[in-house]
Amino acid sequence: MKSTVAVVGASQVRDKFGNKCVRAFASKGYEVYPVHPKEKEVEGFKCYASISDVPGQVDVISVYLPPPVGLKELDAIARKGAKKVYFNPGTESPEIMAKAKTLKIEAIFACSIVAIGLSPSMFP
């Protein structure tokens, strides 16, 4: 069975990291679930309005949201029960770090693309 990833803050704009992440995880064989409230599709994958709308459990969640928005999404992210939740550079804040700990989220404050052995520069 394929590993799954939800990219929260996915983007149709190819030079944004929320798009590069979708392509990077897809290239590694993951089943990708882009999450964005206004998009229907990202890179050919059906887009979900919220993390709560993604079917079933996911193995990894990669977050590309500004800290105030990410903070509001943490409860829904926690309910998804992912093994790993990446807060990519620019998404972290002391409030997110504290609430993630309180919610027992396995939070990783690092680039998820690099964590799977790739470089964002590989996805122009």
Side-chain angles (χ1 to χ4, degrees):
M1 193 166 143
K2 279 186 172 187
S3 293
T4 55
V5 61
V7 181
V8 182
S11 175
Q12 285 191 10
V13 180
R14 290 178 67 87
D15 61 351
K16 288 196 168 208
F17 286 93
N19 180 284
K20 292 174 185 269
C21 183
V22 169
R23 291 184 282 144
F25 275 87
S27 79
K28 285 286 195 167
Y30 280 74
E31 183 69 36
V32 181
Y33 299 102
V35 177
H36 190 286
K38 295 179 181 150
E39 302 293 352
K40 297 283 183 238
E41 177 181 292
V42 173
E43 294 296 325
F45 295 96
K46 176 184 176 183
C47 202
Y48 295 86
S50 75
I51 188 69
S52 302
D53 295 334
V54 173
Q57 188 170 340
V58 293
D59 300 310
V60 177
I61 297 174
S62 186
V63 179
Y64 290 92
L65 299 172
V69 179
L71 194 59
K72 291 177 187 168
E73 295 298 315
L74 279 182
D75 290 315
I77 287 169
R79 284 192 295 275
K80 235 6 177 170
K83 296 178 191 109
K84 295 178 182 174
V85 180
Y86 287 93
F87 291 89
N88 292 278
T91 66
E92 70 277 27
S93 73
E95 296 81 12
I96 285 180
M97 294 167 103
K99 187 170 181 182
K101 189 173 184 177
T102 300
L103 293 171
K104 296 182 174 41
I105 292 172
E106 190 64 43
I108 302 162
F109 296 92
C111 177
S112 61
I113 298 170
V114 172
I116 60 170
L118 300 173
S119 169
S121 66
M122 297 168 69
F123 301 92

